[in-house]
Amino acid sequence: MSNLNKILHNKISCKSLWFMRQAGRYLPEFREIRSKNQNFINLCLNSELSSEITLQPIKRFDLDSAIIFSDILMVPYALGQEVNFIKNEGPVLGNLNMNNILKVNKESFSKKLSPVYRAIDITRKKLPKEKSLISFIGAPWTLLVYMLGIKKADNNLNLKKLNIKDLKLGDLINKLVKILNIHIQNQVDAGADVVQIFDSWAGLIPSANIQDLCYSPNAKIVEFCKKKKISNICFPKGIKLKYKEFNNFVKPDGINIDYEIDPQWAKNNLTDVVIQGGLDPKALLKPEDEMIEVATKYIKTFQNTPYVFNLGHGLLPETDPDKLTTLIKFYRNY
Ligand code: 1CP
C-alpha cells in the first residue's frame, strides 16, 4: 500500500508528498514537449507522452505520488462538446447540446477516453510499487462553469446562462455524476489508486444553491467511491467557512484546504477526514525564508495528525523548479 493510501485509508500519520499541478508549465521538460504539441487535447490523448509528462516530476523530485497528466475538460470533450485551449486565454468550449449529451452511453464515453486509461496503465507499470498514481475528475459544477461558459473574465458569474429555458440543470448534473463515476472506475481499473475531485469554482456558487450544485453531487460521487473502496480527496475551493458543512455532508476520505482556510481552524473544524494541502502556491514565488516560514506553519499545525502536505491550489507556471526542490528538502528533513 502506498503512503498516501496508508494516510487516507488507515489514518496512519506518515509522509507522502505530491503537489497539485506538479506536471505542467513550470517545468522546462514539459514546456519542451508542449512546444512540439500545439493541440492540448491531442497531447492528453497521446498515451506515451501523457505518461512521460506524468513521470517528469517523479524523476526530478522523487515525489511519492504521480497525478496522471490529463485535464478535467476531457470529460466534456468525451461527451461530444467542442473544447479548445486558447493560448494565454484558457479553455473555450463550443455550444452545449443537451440532447446529445444525455444520449452518450458508457461504451462511447469510455472509448473516447481510452488513450487516457492506456496512459494510466503505462504509467502504473513504470511507477515504483510504493508510489500512488492519482486520478482526478472535475466536480459537476466546475465542469458546468466551462460547459456553459458561465464564468466571466472577472470571475463573476453570468447567472443568466444558468436559466436557459430548455436547460434542465438537475438532469445535466445527474448525467455528469453518472459519467464521472464511470470515468473514476475506468481510471482505477487502469491502475490509479486514489481520486481527487476538483471543485475549483465552488466558491462562485451563491449560498442558496450550494447544496444542489456542490454538496449533493460531490456526496454522490464520494458515496460511489466508498462503495467501490476507492480512496478519495475532495477540493471544494473557495467556499470559506462552508468547508465544515461540506465535510460533514460529503464525508470524503480526504479534503484539500485552499490557501484562504486557516490551518488551525481546519484542524478544529474538519473532523473525521484527512486534511491535505493549504500552502499558498504564491509562497513559492517569495524569498526562501518566507516560503519556509509559511510552510512551517502548516507542518507544525498538523504535526501528529494524518496530514498530506500539499498546496492550496496548483503550482503556478512562474514557479522556479529549484524553489520546489528546496521546499521538498525542508519538508523531508523536518
Ligand atoms: O500548456 C498549456 O497551456 C496547458 C496548461 C494545462 C495543463 C498543464 C491545462 C489547461 N491543463 C493542464 C493539466 C492538468 N489540469 C492537470 C494534470 C497536471 C498536474 O496536476 O500535475 C490537472 C490535475 C488539471 C486539472 C484542471 N484543469 C482543473 C482543476 C484544478 C485547478 O487547477 O483548479 C481545472 C479548473 C482545469 C481547467 C484548465 N485546464 C487548463 C487550464 C489553463 C485550466 C484553467 C483555466 C481557468 O483558470 O479557467
Side-chain angles (χ1 to χ4, degrees), residues 19-25 30 34 40 67-73 85 90-91 136 142 146 151 198 200-201 313-314:
F19 295 94
M20 288 193 280
R21 294 289 184 109
Q22 65 190 30
R25 290 170 291 182
F30 169 76
R34 179 75 169 110
F40 185 73
I67 177 162
I68 190 66
F69 179 79
S70 178
D71 199 86
I72 61 165
L73 299 176
F85 288 86
F136 65 90
T142 288
Y146 294 101
K151 181 171 62 75
F198 288 102
S200 304
W201 298 113
H313 201 192

PDB file of all heavy atoms in Angstrom, residues 19-25 30 34 40 67-73 85 90-91 136 142 146 151 198 200-201 313-314, ligand 1:
ATOM      1  N   PHE A  19       2.278  17.422  -5.287  1.00  0.00           N
ATOM      2  CA  PHE A  19       1.819  18.802  -5.424  1.00  0.00           C
ATOM      3  C   PHE A  19       0.800  18.901  -6.543  1.00  0.00           C
ATOM      4  O   PHE A  19       0.995  18.319  -7.623  1.00  0.00           O
ATOM      5  CB  PHE A  19       3.002  19.742  -5.732  1.00  0.00           C
ATOM      6  CG  PHE A  19       3.983  19.827  -4.600  1.00  0.00           C
ATOM      7  CD1 PHE A  19       5.099  18.993  -4.565  1.00  0.00           C
ATOM      8  CD2 PHE A  19       3.784  20.708  -3.549  1.00  0.00           C
ATOM      9  CE1 PHE A  19       5.996  19.051  -3.499  1.00  0.00           C
ATOM     10  CE2 PHE A  19       4.672  20.775  -2.493  1.00  0.00           C
ATOM     11  CZ  PHE A  19       5.783  19.949  -2.464  1.00  0.00           C
ATOM     12  N   MET A  20      -0.265  19.658  -6.282  1.00  0.00           N
ATOM     13  CA  MET A  20      -1.231  19.877  -7.353  1.00  0.00           C
ATOM     14  C   MET A  20      -0.548  20.588  -8.512  1.00  0.00           C
ATOM     15  O   MET A  20       0.240  21.504  -8.289  1.00  0.00           O
ATOM     16  CB  MET A  20      -2.411  20.698  -6.822  1.00  0.00           C
ATOM     17  CG  MET A  20      -3.294  19.887  -5.889  1.00  0.00           C
ATOM     18  SD  MET A  20      -4.854  20.724  -5.580  1.00  0.00           S
ATOM     19  CE  MET A  20      -4.328  21.895  -4.352  1.00  0.00           C
ATOM     20  N   ARG A  21      -0.857  20.164  -9.707  1.00  0.00           N
ATOM     21  CA  ARG A  21      -0.243  20.675 -10.940  1.00  0.00           C
ATOM     22  C   ARG A  21       1.268  20.463 -10.955  1.00  0.00           C
ATOM     23  O   ARG A  21       2.015  21.295 -11.472  1.00  0.00           O
ATOM     24  CB  ARG A  21      -0.577  22.167 -11.149  1.00  0.00           C
ATOM     25  CG  ARG A  21      -2.066  22.441 -11.410  1.00  0.00           C
ATOM     26  CD  ARG A  21      -2.472  21.954 -12.777  1.00  0.00           C
ATOM     27  NE  ARG A  21      -3.851  22.289 -13.098  1.00  0.00           N
ATOM     28  CZ  ARG A  21      -4.217  23.191 -13.990  1.00  0.00           C
ATOM     29  NH1 ARG A  21      -3.326  23.865 -14.660  1.00  0.00           N
ATOM     30  NH2 ARG A  21      -5.483  23.390 -14.233  1.00  0.00           N
ATOM     31  N   GLN A  22       1.695  19.322 -10.375  1.00  0.00           N
ATOM     32  CA  GLN A  22       3.136  19.047 -10.356  1.00  0.00           C
ATOM     33  C   GLN A  22       3.687  18.756 -11.750  1.00  0.00           C
ATOM     34  O   GLN A  22       4.873  18.928 -12.007  1.00  0.00           O
ATOM     35  CB  GLN A  22       3.451  17.879  -9.410  1.00  0.00           C
ATOM     36  CG  GLN A  22       2.867  16.534  -9.824  1.00  0.00           C
ATOM     37  CD  GLN A  22       3.003  15.477  -8.723  1.00  0.00           C
ATOM     38  OE1 GLN A  22       3.011  15.799  -7.550  1.00  0.00           O
ATOM     39  NE2 GLN A  22       3.122  14.216  -9.105  1.00  0.00           N
ATOM     40  N   ALA A  23       2.805  18.278 -12.642  1.00  0.00           N
ATOM     41  CA  ALA A  23       3.213  18.078 -14.034  1.00  0.00           C
ATOM     42  C   ALA A  23       2.662  19.259 -14.820  1.00  0.00           C
ATOM     43  O   ALA A  23       1.462  19.442 -14.868  1.00  0.00           O
ATOM     44  CB  ALA A  23       2.624  16.774 -14.565  1.00  0.00           C
ATOM     45  N   GLY A  24       3.521  20.049 -15.396  1.00  0.00           N
ATOM     46  CA  GLY A  24       2.959  21.171 -16.148  1.00  0.00           C
ATOM     47  C   GLY A  24       3.928  22.286 -16.460  1.00  0.00           C
ATOM     48  O   GLY A  24       5.146  22.087 -16.481  1.00  0.00           O
ATOM     49  N   ARG A  25       3.327  23.438 -16.646  1.00  0.00           N
ATOM     50  CA  ARG A  25       4.024  24.527 -17.333  1.00  0.00           C
ATOM     51  C   ARG A  25       5.263  25.086 -16.644  1.00  0.00           C
ATOM     52  O   ARG A  25       6.089  25.711 -17.294  1.00  0.00           O
ATOM     53  CB  ARG A  25       3.040  25.678 -17.587  1.00  0.00           C
ATOM     54  CG  ARG A  25       2.004  25.324 -18.628  1.00  0.00           C
ATOM     55  CD  ARG A  25       0.913  26.359 -18.692  1.00  0.00           C
ATOM     56  NE  ARG A  25       0.102  26.309 -17.473  1.00  0.00           N
ATOM     57  CZ  ARG A  25      -0.967  27.090 -17.260  1.00  0.00           C
ATOM     58  NH1 ARG A  25      -1.300  27.985 -18.167  1.00  0.00           N
ATOM     59  NH2 ARG A  25      -1.666  26.980 -16.157  1.00  0.00           N
ATOM     60  N   PHE A  30       8.487  19.850 -19.483  1.00  0.00           N
ATOM     61  CA  PHE A  30       7.116  19.836 -20.000  1.00  0.00           C
ATOM     62  C   PHE A  30       6.981  20.819 -21.162  1.00  0.00           C
ATOM     63  O   PHE A  30       6.426  20.490 -22.204  1.00  0.00           O
ATOM     64  CB  PHE A  30       6.090  20.200 -18.908  1.00  0.00           C
ATOM     65  CG  PHE A  30       4.704  20.457 -19.472  1.00  0.00           C
ATOM     66  CD1 PHE A  30       3.895  19.402 -19.874  1.00  0.00           C
ATOM     67  CD2 PHE A  30       4.219  21.751 -19.642  1.00  0.00           C
ATOM     68  CE1 PHE A  30       2.631  19.620 -20.414  1.00  0.00           C
ATOM     69  CE2 PHE A  30       2.956  21.979 -20.184  1.00  0.00           C
ATOM     70  CZ  PHE A  30       2.166  20.915 -20.567  1.00  0.00           C
ATOM     71  N   ARG A  34       5.452  20.360 -24.844  1.00  0.00           N
ATOM     72  CA  ARG A  34       4.278  21.162 -25.188  1.00  0.00           C
ATOM     73  C   ARG A  34       4.520  21.983 -26.454  1.00  0.00           C
ATOM     74  O   ARG A  34       3.630  22.134 -27.288  1.00  0.00           O
ATOM     75  CB  ARG A  34       3.941  22.072 -24.004  1.00  0.00           C
ATOM     76  CG  ARG A  34       2.748  22.993 -24.204  1.00  0.00           C
ATOM     77  CD  ARG A  34       1.425  22.258 -24.125  1.00  0.00           C
ATOM     78  NE  ARG A  34       0.316  23.198 -24.051  1.00  0.00           N
ATOM     79  CZ  ARG A  34      -0.550  23.404 -25.026  1.00  0.00           C
ATOM     80  NH1 ARG A  34      -0.451  22.743 -26.159  1.00  0.00           N
ATOM     81  NH2 ARG A  34      -1.541  24.268 -24.874  1.00  0.00           N
ATOM     82  N   PHE A  40      -3.693  20.802 -27.309  1.00  0.00           N
ATOM     83  CA  PHE A  40      -3.625  20.277 -25.945  1.00  0.00           C
ATOM     84  C   PHE A  40      -4.430  18.986 -25.769  1.00  0.00           C
ATOM     85  O   PHE A  40      -3.987  18.053 -25.096  1.00  0.00           O
ATOM     86  CB  PHE A  40      -4.101  21.354 -24.956  1.00  0.00           C
ATOM     87  CG  PHE A  40      -3.951  20.953 -23.518  1.00  0.00           C
ATOM     88  CD1 PHE A  40      -2.705  20.910 -22.911  1.00  0.00           C
ATOM     89  CD2 PHE A  40      -5.061  20.601 -22.769  1.00  0.00           C
ATOM     90  CE1 PHE A  40      -2.562  20.535 -21.585  1.00  0.00           C
ATOM     91  CE2 PHE A  40      -4.929  20.223 -21.434  1.00  0.00           C
ATOM     92  CZ  PHE A  40      -3.678  20.189 -20.848  1.00  0.00           C
ATOM     93  N   ILE A  67       0.387  12.234 -10.443  1.00  0.00           N
ATOM     94  CA  ILE A  67      -1.003  12.503 -10.837  1.00  0.00           C
ATOM     95  C   ILE A  67      -1.034  12.476 -12.355  1.00  0.00           C
ATOM     96  O   ILE A  67      -0.190  13.096 -13.010  1.00  0.00           O
ATOM     97  CB  ILE A  67      -1.541  13.834 -10.243  1.00  0.00           C
ATOM     98  CG1 ILE A  67      -2.974  14.113 -10.737  1.00  0.00           C
ATOM     99  CG2 ILE A  67      -0.608  15.009 -10.494  1.00  0.00           C
ATOM    100  CD1 ILE A  67      -3.744  15.135  -9.909  1.00  0.00           C
ATOM    101  N   ILE A  68      -1.969  11.717 -12.881  1.00  0.00           N
ATOM    102  CA  ILE A  68      -1.960  11.488 -14.321  1.00  0.00           C
ATOM    103  C   ILE A  68      -2.109  12.804 -15.083  1.00  0.00           C
ATOM    104  O   ILE A  68      -2.919  13.657 -14.724  1.00  0.00           O
ATOM    105  CB  ILE A  68      -3.058  10.466 -14.744  1.00  0.00           C
ATOM    106  CG1 ILE A  68      -2.879  10.043 -16.201  1.00  0.00           C
ATOM    107  CG2 ILE A  68      -4.457  10.974 -14.477  1.00  0.00           C
ATOM    108  CD1 ILE A  68      -1.622   9.257 -16.477  1.00  0.00           C
ATOM    109  N   PHE A  69      -1.308  12.993 -16.110  1.00  0.00           N
ATOM    110  CA  PHE A  69      -1.405  14.195 -16.926  1.00  0.00           C
ATOM    111  C   PHE A  69      -2.600  14.065 -17.858  1.00  0.00           C
ATOM    112  O   PHE A  69      -2.619  13.238 -18.774  1.00  0.00           O
ATOM    113  CB  PHE A  69      -0.123  14.434 -17.732  1.00  0.00           C
ATOM    114  CG  PHE A  69      -0.235  15.647 -18.595  1.00  0.00           C
ATOM    115  CD1 PHE A  69      -0.078  16.910 -18.051  1.00  0.00           C
ATOM    116  CD2 PHE A  69      -0.557  15.542 -19.931  1.00  0.00           C
ATOM    117  CE1 PHE A  69      -0.246  18.045 -18.823  1.00  0.00           C
ATOM    118  CE2 PHE A  69      -0.711  16.676 -20.718  1.00  0.00           C
ATOM    119  CZ  PHE A  69      -0.559  17.927 -20.168  1.00  0.00           C
ATOM    120  N   SER A  70      -3.611  14.878 -17.588  1.00  0.00           N
ATOM    121  CA  SER A  70      -4.832  14.893 -18.390  1.00  0.00           C
ATOM    122  C   SER A  70      -5.493  16.229 -18.085  1.00  0.00           C
ATOM    123  O   SER A  70      -4.807  17.164 -17.677  1.00  0.00           O
ATOM    124  CB  SER A  70      -5.716  13.706 -17.980  1.00  0.00           C
ATOM    125  OG  SER A  70      -6.924  13.704 -18.693  1.00  0.00           O
ATOM    126  N   ASP A  71      -6.786  16.357 -18.260  1.00  0.00           N
ATOM    127  CA  ASP A  71      -7.467  17.585 -17.852  1.00  0.00           C
ATOM    128  C   ASP A  71      -8.910  17.275 -17.499  1.00  0.00           C
ATOM    129  O   ASP A  71      -9.491  16.327 -18.042  1.00  0.00           O
ATOM    130  CB  ASP A  71      -7.419  18.645 -18.956  1.00  0.00           C
ATOM    131  CG  ASP A  71      -7.696  20.029 -18.383  1.00  0.00           C
ATOM    132  OD1 ASP A  71      -6.750  20.672 -17.910  1.00  0.00           O
ATOM    133  OD2 ASP A  71      -8.864  20.452 -18.365  1.00  0.00           O
ATOM    134  N   ILE A  72      -9.476  18.091 -16.600  1.00  0.00           N
ATOM    135  CA  ILE A  72     -10.884  17.870 -16.237  1.00  0.00           C
ATOM    136  C   ILE A  72     -11.797  18.036 -17.459  1.00  0.00           C
ATOM    137  O   ILE A  72     -12.876  17.470 -17.505  1.00  0.00           O
ATOM    138  CB  ILE A  72     -11.342  18.812 -15.096  1.00  0.00           C
ATOM    139  CG1 ILE A  72     -11.237  20.276 -15.501  1.00  0.00           C
ATOM    140  CG2 ILE A  72     -10.525  18.582 -13.815  1.00  0.00           C
ATOM    141  CD1 ILE A  72     -12.004  21.221 -14.564  1.00  0.00           C
ATOM    142  N   LEU A  73     -11.333  18.808 -18.457  1.00  0.00           N
ATOM    143  CA  LEU A  73     -12.200  19.079 -19.620  1.00  0.00           C
ATOM    144  C   LEU A  73     -12.178  17.967 -20.661  1.00  0.00           C
ATOM    145  O   LEU A  73     -12.846  18.060 -21.691  1.00  0.00           O
ATOM    146  CB  LEU A  73     -11.824  20.430 -20.232  1.00  0.00           C
ATOM    147  CG  LEU A  73     -12.008  21.593 -19.249  1.00  0.00           C
ATOM    148  CD1 LEU A  73     -11.542  22.900 -19.852  1.00  0.00           C
ATOM    149  CD2 LEU A  73     -13.470  21.716 -18.810  1.00  0.00           C
ATOM    150  N   PHE A  85      -8.276  24.894 -26.224  1.00  0.00           N
ATOM    151  CA  PHE A  85      -7.429  25.599 -25.266  1.00  0.00           C
ATOM    152  C   PHE A  85      -6.746  26.719 -26.023  1.00  0.00           C
ATOM    153  O   PHE A  85      -5.933  26.474 -26.913  1.00  0.00           O
ATOM    154  CB  PHE A  85      -6.404  24.646 -24.656  1.00  0.00           C
ATOM    155  CG  PHE A  85      -7.030  23.672 -23.696  1.00  0.00           C
ATOM    156  CD1 PHE A  85      -7.588  22.482 -24.161  1.00  0.00           C
ATOM    157  CD2 PHE A  85      -7.091  23.941 -22.345  1.00  0.00           C
ATOM    158  CE1 PHE A  85      -8.185  21.586 -23.282  1.00  0.00           C
ATOM    159  CE2 PHE A  85      -7.688  23.051 -21.468  1.00  0.00           C
ATOM    160  CZ  PHE A  85      -8.234  21.877 -21.932  1.00  0.00           C
ATOM    161  N   GLY A  90      -6.945  30.380 -22.014  1.00  0.00           N
ATOM    162  CA  GLY A  90      -7.525  29.236 -21.311  1.00  0.00           C
ATOM    163  C   GLY A  90      -8.548  28.511 -22.161  1.00  0.00           C
ATOM    164  O   GLY A  90      -8.641  28.737 -23.365  1.00  0.00           O
ATOM    165  N   PRO A  91      -9.317  27.642 -21.525  1.00  0.00           N
ATOM    166  CA  PRO A  91     -10.234  26.799 -22.275  1.00  0.00           C
ATOM    167  C   PRO A  91     -11.486  27.535 -22.750  1.00  0.00           C
ATOM    168  O   PRO A  91     -12.036  28.350 -22.018  1.00  0.00           O
ATOM    169  CB  PRO A  91     -10.641  25.727 -21.254  1.00  0.00           C
ATOM    170  CG  PRO A  91      -9.910  26.016 -19.992  1.00  0.00           C
ATOM    171  CD  PRO A  91      -9.299  27.357 -20.086  1.00  0.00           C
ATOM    172  N   PHE A 136      -8.043  11.909 -11.393  1.00  0.00           N
ATOM    173  CA  PHE A 136      -8.857  13.050 -10.955  1.00  0.00           C
ATOM    174  C   PHE A 136     -10.036  13.269 -11.881  1.00  0.00           C
ATOM    175  O   PHE A 136     -10.067  12.761 -13.010  1.00  0.00           O
ATOM    176  CB  PHE A 136      -8.012  14.329 -10.854  1.00  0.00           C
ATOM    177  CG  PHE A 136      -7.464  14.801 -12.178  1.00  0.00           C
ATOM    178  CD1 PHE A 136      -8.191  15.694 -12.963  1.00  0.00           C
ATOM    179  CD2 PHE A 136      -6.239  14.365 -12.641  1.00  0.00           C
ATOM    180  CE1 PHE A 136      -7.693  16.134 -14.185  1.00  0.00           C
ATOM    181  CE2 PHE A 136      -5.724  14.793 -13.862  1.00  0.00           C
ATOM    182  CZ  PHE A 136      -6.452  15.676 -14.634  1.00  0.00           C
ATOM    183  N   THR A 142     -18.010  22.505 -11.402  1.00  0.00           N
ATOM    184  CA  THR A 142     -16.843  23.107 -12.042  1.00  0.00           C
ATOM    185  C   THR A 142     -16.818  22.789 -13.543  1.00  0.00           C
ATOM    186  O   THR A 142     -16.455  23.630 -14.370  1.00  0.00           O
ATOM    187  CB  THR A 142     -15.559  22.670 -11.298  1.00  0.00           C
ATOM    188  OG1 THR A 142     -15.539  23.362 -10.044  1.00  0.00           O
ATOM    189  CG2 THR A 142     -14.297  22.991 -12.068  1.00  0.00           C
ATOM    190  N   TYR A 146     -17.424  25.614 -17.193  1.00  0.00           N
ATOM    191  CA  TYR A 146     -16.798  25.655 -18.522  1.00  0.00           C
ATOM    192  C   TYR A 146     -17.797  25.263 -19.621  1.00  0.00           C
ATOM    193  O   TYR A 146     -17.836  25.866 -20.682  1.00  0.00           O
ATOM    194  CB  TYR A 146     -15.586  24.720 -18.576  1.00  0.00           C
ATOM    195  CG  TYR A 146     -14.463  25.172 -17.666  1.00  0.00           C
ATOM    196  CD1 TYR A 146     -14.249  24.579 -16.427  1.00  0.00           C
ATOM    197  CD2 TYR A 146     -13.618  26.205 -18.046  1.00  0.00           C
ATOM    198  CE1 TYR A 146     -13.228  24.999 -15.587  1.00  0.00           C
ATOM    199  CE2 TYR A 146     -12.586  26.637 -17.209  1.00  0.00           C
ATOM    200  CZ  TYR A 146     -12.397  26.030 -15.984  1.00  0.00           C
ATOM    201  OH  TYR A 146     -11.387  26.454 -15.149  1.00  0.00           O
ATOM    202  N   LYS A 151     -18.628  31.642 -16.397  1.00  0.00           N
ATOM    203  CA  LYS A 151     -17.706  32.489 -15.639  1.00  0.00           C
ATOM    204  C   LYS A 151     -17.243  33.626 -16.531  1.00  0.00           C
ATOM    205  O   LYS A 151     -16.764  33.414 -17.641  1.00  0.00           O
ATOM    206  CB  LYS A 151     -16.510  31.663 -15.166  1.00  0.00           C
ATOM    207  CG  LYS A 151     -15.518  32.450 -14.346  1.00  0.00           C
ATOM    208  CD  LYS A 151     -14.478  31.534 -13.719  1.00  0.00           C
ATOM    209  CE  LYS A 151     -13.637  30.776 -14.708  1.00  0.00           C
ATOM    210  NZ  LYS A 151     -12.614  31.581 -15.376  1.00  0.00           N
ATOM    211  N   PHE A 198     -11.879  17.753  -8.098  1.00  0.00           N
ATOM    212  CA  PHE A 198     -11.644  19.197  -8.094  1.00  0.00           C
ATOM    213  C   PHE A 198     -12.955  19.956  -8.285  1.00  0.00           C
ATOM    214  O   PHE A 198     -13.561  19.885  -9.354  1.00  0.00           O
ATOM    215  CB  PHE A 198     -10.713  19.593  -9.249  1.00  0.00           C
ATOM    216  CG  PHE A 198      -9.274  19.182  -9.073  1.00  0.00           C
ATOM    217  CD1 PHE A 198      -8.757  18.073  -9.729  1.00  0.00           C
ATOM    218  CD2 PHE A 198      -8.417  19.923  -8.266  1.00  0.00           C
ATOM    219  CE1 PHE A 198      -7.424  17.701  -9.587  1.00  0.00           C
ATOM    220  CE2 PHE A 198      -7.077  19.560  -8.124  1.00  0.00           C
ATOM    221  CZ  PHE A 198      -6.584  18.453  -8.779  1.00  0.00           C
ATOM    222  N   SER A 200     -13.086  23.364  -8.362  1.00  0.00           N
ATOM    223  CA  SER A 200     -12.252  24.572  -8.331  1.00  0.00           C
ATOM    224  C   SER A 200     -13.068  25.860  -8.264  1.00  0.00           C
ATOM    225  O   SER A 200     -12.596  26.869  -7.773  1.00  0.00           O
ATOM    226  CB  SER A 200     -11.369  24.619  -9.570  1.00  0.00           C
ATOM    227  OG  SER A 200     -10.609  23.442  -9.665  1.00  0.00           O
ATOM    228  N   TRP A 201     -14.305  25.825  -8.787  1.00  0.00           N
ATOM    229  CA  TRP A 201     -15.116  27.043  -8.828  1.00  0.00           C
ATOM    230  C   TRP A 201     -16.285  26.996  -7.847  1.00  0.00           C
ATOM    231  O   TRP A 201     -17.242  27.766  -7.971  1.00  0.00           O
ATOM    232  CB  TRP A 201     -15.610  27.319 -10.254  1.00  0.00           C
ATOM    233  CG  TRP A 201     -14.473  27.553 -11.196  1.00  0.00           C
ATOM    234  CD1 TRP A 201     -14.084  26.770 -12.233  1.00  0.00           C
ATOM    235  CD2 TRP A 201     -13.544  28.658 -11.182  1.00  0.00           C
ATOM    236  NE1 TRP A 201     -12.982  27.295 -12.871  1.00  0.00           N
ATOM    237  CE2 TRP A 201     -12.636  28.458 -12.231  1.00  0.00           C
ATOM    238  CE3 TRP A 201     -13.388  29.795 -10.369  1.00  0.00           C
ATOM    239  CZ2 TRP A 201     -11.583  29.350 -12.500  1.00  0.00           C
ATOM    240  CZ3 TRP A 201     -12.345  30.683 -10.636  1.00  0.00           C
ATOM    241  CH2 TRP A 201     -11.462  30.445 -11.692  1.00  0.00           C
ATOM    242  N   HIS A 313      -3.695  25.443  -3.920  1.00  0.00           N
ATOM    243  CA  HIS A 313      -4.129  25.389  -5.318  1.00  0.00           C
ATOM    244  C   HIS A 313      -2.916  24.939  -6.118  1.00  0.00           C
ATOM    245  O   HIS A 313      -1.866  24.681  -5.527  1.00  0.00           O
ATOM    246  CB  HIS A 313      -4.669  26.739  -5.797  1.00  0.00           C
ATOM    247  CG  HIS A 313      -5.561  26.630  -7.014  1.00  0.00           C
ATOM    248  ND1 HIS A 313      -5.955  27.705  -7.752  1.00  0.00           N
ATOM    249  CD2 HIS A 313      -6.136  25.539  -7.616  1.00  0.00           C
ATOM    250  CE1 HIS A 313      -6.748  27.305  -8.752  1.00  0.00           C
ATOM    251  NE2 HIS A 313      -6.865  25.985  -8.684  1.00  0.00           N
ATOM    252  N   GLY A 314      -3.050  24.848  -7.438  1.00  0.00           N
ATOM    253  CA  GLY A 314      -1.965  24.291  -8.237  1.00  0.00           C
ATOM    254  C   GLY A 314      -0.715  25.173  -8.290  1.00  0.00           C
ATOM    255  O   GLY A 314      -0.788  26.392  -8.112  1.00  0.00           O
TER     256      GLY A 314
HETATM  257  O1  1CP B   1       0.319  24.285 -21.683  1.00  0.00           O
HETATM  258  C1  1CP B   1      -0.838  24.682 -21.501  1.00  0.00           C
HETATM  259  O2  1CP B   1      -1.262  25.755 -21.894  1.00  0.00           O
HETATM  260  C2  1CP B   1      -1.776  23.751 -20.809  1.00  0.00           C
HETATM  261  C3  1CP B   1      -1.901  24.066 -19.377  1.00  0.00           C
HETATM  262  C4  1CP B   1      -2.677  22.956 -18.705  1.00  0.00           C
HETATM  263  C5  1CP B   1      -2.125  21.868 -18.009  1.00  0.00           C
HETATM  264  C6  1CP B   1      -0.666  21.579 -17.757  1.00  0.00           C
HETATM  265  C7  1CP B   1      -4.075  22.796 -18.716  1.00  0.00           C
HETATM  266  C8  1CP B   1      -5.076  23.673 -19.367  1.00  0.00           C
HETATM  267  N1  1CP B   1      -4.354  21.633 -18.043  1.00  0.00           N
HETATM  268  C9  1CP B   1      -3.211  21.018 -17.582  1.00  0.00           C
HETATM  269  C10 1CP B   1      -3.109  19.724 -16.878  1.00  0.00           C
HETATM  270  C11 1CP B   1      -3.977  19.474 -15.715  1.00  0.00           C
HETATM  271  N2  1CP B   1      -5.184  20.095 -15.464  1.00  0.00           N
HETATM  272  C12 1CP B   1      -3.736  18.527 -14.699  1.00  0.00           C
HETATM  273  C13 1CP B   1      -2.606  17.490 -14.688  1.00  0.00           C
HETATM  274  C14 1CP B   1      -1.299  18.016 -14.257  1.00  0.00           C
HETATM  275  C15 1CP B   1      -0.997  18.011 -12.801  1.00  0.00           C
HETATM  276  O3  1CP B   1      -1.839  18.352 -11.965  1.00  0.00           O
HETATM  277  O4  1CP B   1       0.129  17.645 -12.468  1.00  0.00           O
HETATM  278  C16 1CP B   1      -4.789  18.645 -13.774  1.00  0.00           C
HETATM  279  C17 1CP B   1      -4.957  17.881 -12.476  1.00  0.00           C
HETATM  280  C18 1CP B   1      -5.698  19.619 -14.274  1.00  0.00           C
HETATM  281  C19 1CP B   1      -6.974  19.964 -13.625  1.00  0.00           C
HETATM  282  C20 1CP B   1      -7.727  21.176 -14.036  1.00  0.00           C
HETATM  283  N3  1CP B   1      -7.889  21.704 -15.298  1.00  0.00           N
HETATM  284  C21 1CP B   1      -8.503  21.955 -13.146  1.00  0.00           C
HETATM  285  C22 1CP B   1      -8.682  21.651 -11.682  1.00  0.00           C
HETATM  286  C23 1CP B   1      -7.520  22.074 -10.866  1.00  0.00           C
HETATM  287  C24 1CP B   1      -7.299  23.557 -10.740  1.00  0.00           C
HETATM  288  O5  1CP B   1      -6.209  23.998 -11.112  1.00  0.00           O
HETATM  289  O6  1CP B   1      -8.202  24.249 -10.256  1.00  0.00           O
HETATM  290  C25 1CP B   1      -9.097  22.997 -13.880  1.00  0.00           C
HETATM  291  C26 1CP B   1     -10.014  24.073 -13.340  1.00  0.00           C
HETATM  292  C27 1CP B   1      -8.699  22.830 -15.248  1.00  0.00           C
HETATM  293  C28 1CP B   1      -9.117  23.657 -16.386  1.00  0.00           C
HETATM  294  C29 1CP B   1      -7.932  24.176 -17.100  1.00  0.00           C
HETATM  295  N4  1CP B   1      -7.172  23.432 -17.962  1.00  0.00           N
HETATM  296  C30 1CP B   1      -6.129  24.180 -18.444  1.00  0.00           C
HETATM  297  C31 1CP B   1      -6.220  25.484 -17.852  1.00  0.00           C
HETATM  298  C32 1CP B   1      -5.299  26.613 -18.139  1.00  0.00           C
HETATM  299  C33 1CP B   1      -7.328  25.428 -16.972  1.00  0.00           C
HETATM  300  C34 1CP B   1      -7.768  26.536 -16.015  1.00  0.00           C
HETATM  301  C35 1CP B   1      -8.313  27.717 -16.726  1.00  0.00           C
HETATM  302  C36 1CP B   1      -9.080  28.658 -15.821  1.00  0.00           C
HETATM  303  O7  1CP B   1      -8.470  29.197 -14.882  1.00  0.00           O
HETATM  304  O8  1CP B   1     -10.291  28.785 -16.065  1.00  0.00           O
END
